[in-house]
Amino acid sequence: MGVINVSNESFYQGSYIPIEKVHETAVAMVEQGADMIDIGARSTAPNTQAISGVTEAERIDAALKELDGSGITLSVDTMHPGVLEVCLKHDVHAANDIGGFVYPAYAEKVAEAGIPAFVMATNQQPGDPVGVAETLASLEGVMKRCEDAGVKEYVLDPGIGIWTPLRSVDDDWELCRHFGEFLKFDRPVLAAVSRKDLHRAAPQPLSRGPAPGNPCRDGKTP
């Protein structure tokens, strides 16, 4: 998954892509091996300037216009039903909700559109489950919300590295070490670990082989 961020409040400024560069950036990512491109227009980092749903919708609408007809598989990263509704007017193939479908209207729109979703472990606010046990329990709740809304195709996201004062980098590495446990639900699992603080605080020494429960057989980070 390649990520295109059209939010200039991003915690990682190197990821910000101006609208006029969205198409060429997406094409380059696909040429480099990305299977799909995820478009986001609102930063979830702490202490960033809040933006309105209208601003988020305008940004992501403009980005998606650049990619309409491109043939590129696209997901949209938003927590808000109104923004998702704008996105669904374009060539969108999946929704990415770090809010864990806590808004029933969001899940209902996904079900109506008949698209798959990436859904993060969330109880009330993104990143509120801490530790492996809480994350597993939260993912069970996510699955229940998917079933209640009639969303048949979805990918679970344990939320590694999500910005929250509740978690430490050690908590995120614990999720990484036990990543294989998230496969118990027999659903695809997303490892969204790029540009996260845990890379600056990697435990030493790092194992060169798969950790216990790690589904990767080649020793690479899942």
Side-chain angles (χ1 to χ4, degrees):
M1 176 188 284
V3 176
I4 289 182
N5 170 28
V6 293
S7 166
N8 55 20
E9 304 88 15
S10 173
F11 72 93
Y12 180 68
Q13 282 298 306
S15 72
Y16 169 64
I17 305 297
I19 296 298
E20 63 271 16
K21 297 286 187 181
V22 164
H23 185 273
E24 65 180 83
T25 301
V27 170
M29 287 180 171
V30 171
E31 290 175 347
Q32 293 165 13
D35 294 313
M36 70 185 308
I37 305 297
D38 187 61
I39 310 287
R42 175 194 290 263
S43 175
T44 56
N47 304 317
T48 55
Q49 180 181 356
I51 65 170
S52 68
V54 171
T55 298
E56 181 186 2
E58 289 174 347
R59 288 175 176 177
I60 204 163
D61 182 56
L64 291 171
K65 283 179 181 176
E66 296 293 314
L67 295 169
D68 281 341
S70 66
I72 296 173
T73 301
L74 302 173
S75 65
V76 288
D77 184 350
T78 181
M79 295 170 54
H80 302 285
V83 177
L84 178 62
E85 188 170 3
V86 171
C87 295
L88 291 173
K89 297 176 182 178
H90 297 278
D91 296 335
V92 168
H93 304 87
N96 184 357
D97 182 18
I98 67 169
F101 279 179
V102 294
Y103 296 124
Y106 188 108
E108 289 165 6
K109 288 186 184 299
V110 171
E112 289 171 5
I115 59 174
F118 299 91
V119 196
M120 198 179 81
T122 299
N123 297 324
Q124 296 179 331
Q125 297 292 329
D128 53 8
V130 179
V132 175
E134 285 190 19
T135 301
L136 287 168
S138 182
L139 289 174
E140 289 181 348
V142 164
M143 294 177 66
K144 177 66 164 55
R145 291 192 284 273
C146 288
E147 293 168 5
D148 289 346
V151 176
K152 304 299 183 184
E153 294 184 80
Y154 57 92
V155 176
L156 298 174
D157 178 1
I160 297 170
I162 187 70
W163 291 89
T164 170
L166 299 174
R167 287 192 199 167
S168 68
V169 172
D170 288 341
D171 291 324
D172 288 320
W173 276 107
E174 187 71 8
L175 296 183
C176 289
R177 282 191 290 268
H178 293 273
F179 193 85
E181 294 192 34
F182 304 123
L183 302 178
K184 65 178 285 186
F185 302 113
D186 197 28
R187 304 292 311 187
V189 179
L190 176 67
V193 296
S194 64
R195 310 299 184 190
K196 301 292 178 65
D197 276 349
L198 74 165
H199 295 296
R200 293 195 288 270
Q204 298 293 333
L206 283 174
S207 170
R208 295 185 178 274
N214 188 333
C216 294
R217 298 170 186 266
D218 57 5
K220 295 179 181 179
T221 302

